[in-house]
Amino acid sequence: MLIKSNIPNMIKLLNPDDGDRLKDYIEKAFERYKYFIGYPVAQDFDYSELYPLFKLPLNNVGDPFIESTYDLNSRSIEFEVLHFFAKLFKAPENNWWGYITNGGSEGNLYGLYVARELYPAGIVYYSEATHYSIQKNIHLLNLRSIIIRSDENGEIDYNDLRQIMQMHREQPVIMLANIGTTMTEAKDDISKIKAIFRELAIKNHYIHCDAALAGTYSALLNLQPGFDFQYGADSIAISGHKFIGSPIPCGLVLVKKNYKDRIGEVIPYIGTLDTTISGSRNDHSPVFMWYAIKKWGLKGMRLRALDCLELAVFTVDKFKTAGINAWRNPSAITVVFPEPSLVLRQKWQIATENGFSHIICMPGVSKALISQFIEELKEENT
Amino acid sequence: MLIKSNIPNMIKLLNPDDGDRLKDYIEKAFERYKYFIGYPVAQDFDYSELYPLFKLPLNNVGDPFIESTYDLNSRSIEFEVLHFFAKLFKAPENNWWGYITNGGSEGNLYGLYVARELYPAGIVYYSEATHYSIQKNIHLLNLRSIIIRSDENGEIDYNDLRQIMQMHREQPVIMLANIGTTMTEAKDDISKIKAIFRELAIKNHYIHCDAALAGTYSALLNLQPGFDFQYGADSIAISGHKFIGSPIPCGLVLVKKNYKDRIGEVIPYIGTLDTTISGSRNDHSPVFMWYAIKKWGLKGMRLRALDCLELAVFTVDKFKTAGINAWRNPSAITVVFPEPSLVLRQKWQIATENGFSHIICMPGVSKALISQFIEELKEENT
C-alpha cells in the first residue's frame, strides 16, 4: 500500500499520450516488483529523504582522493564509505585506494586492470562458474586466460587449478577468485589457492576477489572461507545494489595503493588524476551507500545478514517439505532447485542455467512471498 | 526559492549527528549550485515526476535489444531513446546498434573497443586537445596510438595528421574525432579527414566521434562541420547529462551493427548477450532521457539549443565590453578567456588549462549569472 501510493496519478509535464505511456511503465514496474525473488538485490531500501539531490547535476568526476574544481560532489561522503569497507575487508592501513563504481563489473575490470599493469604477461585463471562479465573484461584488457573446472557446487576445482598452473609456472598468475558465484553462491578458498602458489613456488601472483554477491555479508559475519586483504586478496570488488541496496546499480573496488600507483605513473593527466574507469561518476550512489551504513550501523547490518541466512534455512526446509530437491552452499543465501516451468520463471523473474534455478534470500524478501512461490511450484508439479 | 524549498528540514531516519551532516551536505550542494557556469551540464531539468522509480531496484542488465528475465527494466523506453538518436545522427537503417551508457567515457571506450575488434593492429590517431579519458581508454584496450598536434583553436592539425599517417600507411587507421573538445569546443572535420584517407589510399579505417559535448545540439541545428554516420562516422558517443541534462551522469553510444556483431561473435554468452561494457545498467537514465525528449520535443530541443548559442554571443560581447579578451569557436557555446584568480575559479567552479578558462553556455545558465561573474572579474582586474 505504501508503495502503491507512490505511483503518480498523472504525469503533468508530458502530453497525455506520453504521460499515459510513462504512467503505465511505472505501474507495471511496481506490479513486477511484487514477484521478485530471483535476483540478488535488496528490496528493503528507502532513500526518499535523498530525493532532493536529484535536482542537482552532481558528479564525483575522477579520483575520489583528490579534490576537483567540480565542487558539486560527494567526495567526502564517498571517502567515508570507502573507509568503512577498507576496515571491513582489513585493507592494509595507509596502503589502500578505491572508488565507488557503477557496479560489480566495473570493479572487476579495475582489479584486473591493476593486475595487468603489474604483470602484463600474466595469465588470468578463473573457474567455469565465474560470471560471464569476467571473460568480457579479460578480452577488453587483452589478457591471456585459462578457464578451470568447477565442482558441482560451483567452487573451483583446486586439483585442476594446480595442474594447469604447474604447466605455466613461468608466467605470473592473476587469480580471479569468486566470493559467491552467480548461480550457486560458491566461494573459492583463497587460502587453498595460496597453498598452490607455495607448492609450485609461484612468486609473481595477484588475487582479485569478485565479491560482488557475497562480499559484504560474508565479511560482516566473518564467514569462512575468509577472502579479505589479510587472507591474501590484492583487490576486492563488491556490489552496492545487491546486499546494501540501491535503485541505481553501483559498487565499490578496493586495491592496494602501491599497485594502483603504478597506474598513476603510466597515465599522468592534466588537472586531476583520471584513475577510475568511468570519468564522470554519479554522486548519488556514494550518498545512498553512506546513508544505508549510517541508518543500520554495523550491528543493524549484521542482523540484516543473519535474517537473510535464516530465510535461506527456511526456504530450503520449505522446498524439502514440498518434496522438491533444493540445496544451498554452506552459509549461502542462494537456494538452488530444479528449474520450474517458463511461466513461473517469467512471473517470478527467475534466472536459470543448465536445468537449475535459484532464489536469493536478499533483505526485503519475505517468508510469505517464498511460501507463495513454493505453493505455485507444488501445484505445477502435481 | 523553489529549489531552496526542496531541502529537507531534518533527516528523520538517521541519528541526529549523521542527519545534520547529511543536511549540511545537501545544503552546501544547493548553495554551490548557485555558482555553476564552468562545466557543460544542463541545469534546467526537473525529473521529480519520476522520483517514485527510485523506490525500485531497476536494472537494464545486458543488451538493450534482447529481453531479460530481469523484468524490472526500461528496455522499451531505452530503445525509443536510441531510435531517436539513430535518426538524429542518420545511422544506416537496420544497421545500427547502441546502448545507454554511464557517460561519455564509456561510449568512447565502446567505440574504440569495436574499432579494435575490427582492426586489432590499428593505430589510434587523436589530437592533443582530446579529452584525457581517451588516452586511458586506449591504454585499457592495449591499442597503439599517436597524438597529433592541434591548432590554437583546438582543432586537429590536418597537415600533421597527413604526415604522420603517411608514415604508417601500412596500418589500419582508427580515427578519434572530437566533436567539441573539452576546453575550446573545437570540432575536427571528418570530411577533411576522409579526404586524407583518399589521398593516401588508406582503405582500412574507422572513425569514432567523441561527440560527448557538442553532438546533440550540433545535430539538432545541423551545424557544420557535419559528423554523423552519413558524413562517415562508424560510431558516435554522446553525453546525456550535458546538453539533455540528468542528475546521474549518462550517455549513449551508437555503432554500425555489423561491426558490433563481431563482438557478439567473439564473446558468446549464456542466457543474454553481454554486449555492453557495464553489465548492470541503471534503468533510470534511459527514462530521464526519454522524458526530456518527450517533454521538449524536437522543436523545443532546437529552441533550447538556439538559446545556448544566443547566450554564447551575449557572453562574448559582455566580456569584450568589459575589456576582457574572450573568444569562441564557430557555432560553439564554450567561451574561452584568460584564467581568473584562484578565488574566482573556485567560487564559480571554472576549469582551467594552460592559462585559459571557459564558461559553457548550457541550458539553464542565465544572462544574470554570467553578468555577475563578469562584474566580479572586472573588479578583480581593476
Side-chain angles (χ1 to χ4, degrees), chain A residues 12 21 32 71 80, chain B residues 12 21 32 49 71 80:
Chain A
K12 297 189 191 93
R21 172 96 208 283
R32 296 299 287 127
D71 204 20
E80 282 186 44
Chain B
K12 296 187 191 94
R21 172 94 207 283
R32 296 300 285 128
E49 294 196 315
D71 204 20
E80 282 186 44

Side-chain angles (χ1 to χ4, degrees), chain A residues 11-12 21 25 32 39 45 49 55 69 71 80 116-117 136 139-140 269 276-277 283 349, chain B residues 11-12 21 25 32 39 45 49 55 69 71 80 116-117 136 139-140 269 276 283 349:
Chain A
I11 303 293
K12 297 189 191 93
R21 172 96 208 283
Y25 162 68
R32 296 299 287 127
Y39 281 89
F45 60 81
E49 293 196 318
K55 185 70 196 73
T69 46
D71 204 20
E80 282 186 44
R116 189 194 72 182
E117 294 310 288
K136 177 186 61 187
H139 185 68
L140 205 66
Y269 287 108
T276 70
I277 300 275
D283 158 295
Q349 299 169 64
Chain B
I11 303 293
K12 296 187 191 94
R21 172 94 207 283
Y25 162 68
R32 296 300 285 128
Y39 282 89
F45 60 81
E49 294 196 315
K55 185 68 195 75
T69 48
D71 204 20
E80 282 186 44
R116 190 195 72 182
E117 295 309 290
K136 177 186 62 186
H139 185 67
L140 205 66
Y269 287 107
T276 70
D283 159 296
Q349 299 168 65

Side-chain angles (χ1 to χ4, degrees), chain B residues 342-378:
Chain B
L342 185 63
V343 174
L344 279 193
R345 261 147 52 203
Q346 283 178 339
K347 173 175 175 184
W348 294 86
Q349 299 168 65
I350 290 193
T352 296
E353 199 179 283
N354 299 329
F356 288 94
S357 295
H358 61 204
I359 285 176
I360 307 186
C361 298
M362 278 280 155
V365 174
S366 70
K367 287 182 181 173
L369 207 60
I370 286 178
S371 303
Q372 186 189 336
F373 169 73
I374 295 176
E375 277 307 312
E376 291 183 21
L377 190 59
K378 238 167 73 183

Side-chain angles (χ1 to χ4, degrees), chain B residues 4 16 23 47 63 92 146 184 198 225 228 237 299 330 370 372:
Chain B
K4 199 80 195 195
K23 202 170 151 281
Y47 297 111
D63 192 310
I146 300 176
T184 67
R198 281 193 299 273
D228 62 30
K299 200 178 149 193
I370 286 178
Q372 186 189 336

Side-chain angles (χ1 to χ4, degrees), chain A residues 136, chain B residues 62-64 66 97 99 110 113 260 263-264 267 269 273-278:
Chain A
K136 177 186 61 187
Chain B
D63 192 310
I66 295 169
W97 182 87
Y99 73 97
Y110 196 81
Y113 179 33
K260 169 259 169 189
I263 288 193
I267 324 169
Y269 287 107
L273 273 175
D274 186 39
T275 35
T276 70
I277 300 275
S278 314

